[in-house]
Amino acid sequence: MKIKNLLAIAVAFTFLASCANRSKEEKYNHDYLMYATIWYQNSPEMKALYYQGFNIAGERLKQFSKMKTAKPKAVVVDIDETMLNNSPFQAQEIIDNKGYSKEFWNEWCKLAKAEATPGAVEFSKLCDSLGITLFYISNRSVTQFDATLRNLDSLGFAYAKPEYLILKDAESSKKARRAKVTENYEIVLLIGDNLDDFSEIFENRASQWGTKTVDEFKKEFGNRYIILPNPMYGSWEKNIYTKQDTLPAQRDSARRSVLKGFSL
Ligand SMILES: [Mg+2]
C-alpha cells in the first residue's frame, strides 16, 4: 500500500475517533441539570419548602383526623424526592458525566443510603400518633423492595414495614395501587413531588402541559394534595422533547424552544 493511502486511512481513523469522543462527551451533557441539583442540595429554600409542605400536611391531617369516615383513614406518600432525597444520584451522574441507567439507579438504591427529606420522618410519626395509616406508594421497582424498606427503617420512618410499602410491579400509573388501598381505607391526604402521585387525572399532559387540570383542581393543593419541589426531573419533562430529540444539540434546542421570553 502506498504511503499516501496509509496516510489517508490514518486521517480517517483520527477523524472517526474524534467524532466518537465528541458524541460521547456530548451525549451526557448535564449542564442544564446542574443548577437544579445545586439548588436542591444546597439552598435553604429547598429545606424551607419541604418544611412548609409537611407543616401544612400535618395541620390538614389533624383536621382530617377529627372527621368521621366509613373506613379507617390513610395517607399516601410517594418516596423519591418526597420522603427520600436521591439528589446524590443526580449529582453523581453529573460528576461522572454519564447518562441515566437502570443499573446505576439500582446500585444507588441498593446502598440504602438516601437521606430523609426535611420534615418527612416527623410527618410519618405524626400519622402514627394520630392513628392514621401511612402507605408508601412508589415507582421504585419491586426488585428494590428490601433495600427501600431498609433505607426507610434506618432513618426512623414510621410504617416502615412490608405491608405499607407498595412498589411498581408492571405499570407506572399509581391508579390501581391507590385503588387497592381504598378497598380498606379512606385516603384523606396525598403527598408527592409529581402530580401523578395524586390522581391519574394529572397523567394526561397533552394539553398545555397539563396546567389546565391543575387550574381545575387548584383548591385541592394545600388541602388533600401536598406537592413538594423537584426541579431535577419529573413527568413535566416529557413535554419538552419529541422522540426525534435524541442528540444533545436537538435536546438543547428543544429546551430553548419552550422558554417564554418577550420582545421589545
Ligand atoms: Mg417522586
Side-chain angles (χ1 to χ4, degrees):
M1 197 179 282
K2 286 182 182 171
I3 290 181
K4 207 169 136 190
N5 288 346
L6 279 172
L7 268 176
I9 290 167
V11 167
F13 264 112
T14 312
F15 175 72
L16 286 173
S18 79
C19 284
N21 279 338
R22 197 164 61 225
S23 73
K24 201 176 173 188
E25 279 165 21
E26 287 175 354
K27 195 174 172 187
Y28 303 125
N29 179 357
H30 283 313
D31 284 355
Y32 70 95
L33 180 61
M34 197 184 299
Y35 228 58
T37 308
I38 291 171
W39 181 86
Y40 195 88
Q41 293 197 313
N42 299 283
S43 76
E45 282 79 3
M46 174 275 192
K47 207 166 198 181
L49 278 166
Y50 274 83
Y51 283 141
Q52 179 173 269
F54 283 117
N55 283 344
I56 294 170
E59 288 309 308
R60 298 302 294 134
L61 201 58
K62 285 175 201 163
Q63 292 172 332
F64 288 136
S65 69
K66 293 172 194 154
M67 265 175 16
K68 284 221 161 97
T69 48
K71 295 178 212 168
K73 298 176 192 74
V75 169
V76 167
V77 296
D78 167 55
I79 292 181
D80 296 321
E81 279 51 76
T82 295
M83 308 306 262
L84 293 182
N85 175 346
N86 300 286
S87 63
F89 170 76
Q90 305 290 333
Q92 202 58 48
E93 276 186 346
I94 299 168
I95 294 163
D96 294 348
N97 195 30
K98 62 181 173 189
Y100 173 86
S101 74
K102 277 185 184 172
E103 292 72 26
F104 190 49
W105 170 242
N106 205 29
E107 278 177 41
W108 161 252
C109 290
K110 267 205 230 156
L111 290 175
K113 286 271 166 69
E115 291 181 4
T117 55
V121 174
E122 295 81 353
F123 177 78
S124 74
K125 289 178 176 169
L126 177 68
C127 292
D128 194 24
S129 72
L130 293 171
I132 298 178
T133 308
L134 179 68
F135 286 93
Y136 300 89
I137 300 187
S138 163
N139 274 355
R140 284 191 177 200
S141 158
V142 287
T143 59
Q144 292 156 337
F145 194 93
D146 292 347
T148 303
L149 203 55
R150 200 166 64 247
N151 199 158
L152 291 169
D153 187 49
S154 71
L155 295 165
F157 275 103
Y159 297 97
K161 296 197 173 104
E163 57 268 41
Y164 306 118
L165 181 59
I166 308 170
L167 301 187
K168 184 174 81 173
D169 190 358
E171 53 177 14
S172 294
S173 175
K174 296 182 172 178
K175 182 185 175 186
R177 284 173 280 165
R178 281 189 296 263
K180 191 85 189 148
V181 170
T182 57
E183 283 175 12
N184 299 307
Y185 294 87
E186 172 114 11
I187 300 174
V188 293
L189 187 78
L190 300 102
I191 310 179
D193 64 303
N194 189 323
L195 291 168
D196 304 3
D197 295 329
F198 305 133
S199 165
E200 61 280 7
I201 290 164
F202 297 109
E203 289 171 19
N204 182 356
R205 302 188 182 211
S207 169
Q208 296 181 34
W209 294 48
T211 51
K212 284 262 178 214
T213 320
V214 169
D215 290 339
E216 279 170 43
F217 287 85
K218 63 183 176 187
K219 287 193 175 159
E220 292 291 1
F221 297 99
N223 188 23
R224 282 185 66 242
Y225 301 159
I226 306 294
I227 184 114
L228 298 168
N230 178 5
M232 299 180 291
Y233 66 89
S235 300
W236 54 272
E237 285 179 288
K238 290 177 194 165
N239 283 74
I240 302 174
Y241 310 108
T242 64
K243 278 188 181 164
Q244 284 75 44
D245 296 326
T246 52
L247 297 171
Q250 290 170 326
R251 291 174 73 82
D252 185 58
S253 141
R255 286 191 287 272
R256 286 174 178 276
S257 75
V258 296
L259 287 171
K260 294 165 186 164
F262 73 101
S263 47
L264 291 171

